[in-house]
């Protein structure tokens, strides 16, 4: 699977406000949450779309298995990997 790559700045625009897409990153992959009823208006409880949620997952009431319901749409470019 050859996915496009986006920077954190590009991901930040997919927050449901600046652009209609609602995307979040987890462990280097970007997931499209636009169709999830739990991410209405780019917000999911205290989390906002357009961010890398890898470090925030340990505080969530669910495991990373939640991402298995969604298909990755891109990879997140790590800073300094150009």
């Amino acid at each position: 699977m050859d996915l496009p790559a986006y920077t954190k700045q590009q991901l930040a625009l997919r927050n449901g406000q600046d652009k209609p897409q609602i995307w979040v990153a987890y462990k280097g992959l970007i997931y499209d949450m636009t169709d999830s009823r739990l991410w209405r208006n780019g917000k999911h409880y205290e989390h906002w779309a357009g961010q890398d949620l890898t470090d925030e997952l340990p505080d969530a009431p669910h495991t990373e298995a939640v991402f298995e319901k969604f298909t990755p749409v891109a990879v997140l470019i790590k800073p300094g990997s150009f």
Side-chain angles (χ1 to χ4, degrees):
M1 173 166 51
D2 199 19
L3 296 172
Y6 289 88
T7 64
K8 278 195 172 188
Q9 291 80 7
Q10 290 171 309
L11 171 63
L13 293 174
R14 274 74 178 181
N15 60 16
Q17 309 291 318
D18 296 306
K19 290 187 179 283
Q21 299 98 339
I22 297 173
W23 289 3
V24 298
Y26 180 70
K27 289 190 173 179
L29 292 175
I30 297 174
Y31 295 87
D32 187 344
M33 304 299 196
T34 307
D35 293 334
S36 172
R37 62 180 174 78
L38 298 175
W39 278 95
R40 289 288 174 240
N41 301 315
K43 191 170 191 302
H44 175 66
Y45 298 98
E46 72 275 3
H47 304 290
W48 291 94
Q51 298 182 18
D52 184 349
L53 300 179
T54 304
D55 293 337
E56 297 184 32
L57 194 76
D59 297 330
H62 53 71
T63 66
E64 65 184 36
V66 71
F67 289 100
E68 294 171 6
K69 300 175 186 170
F70 299 93
T71 303
V73 294
V75 295
L76 184 61
I77 298 172
K78 293 184 179 80
S81 64
F82 289 51

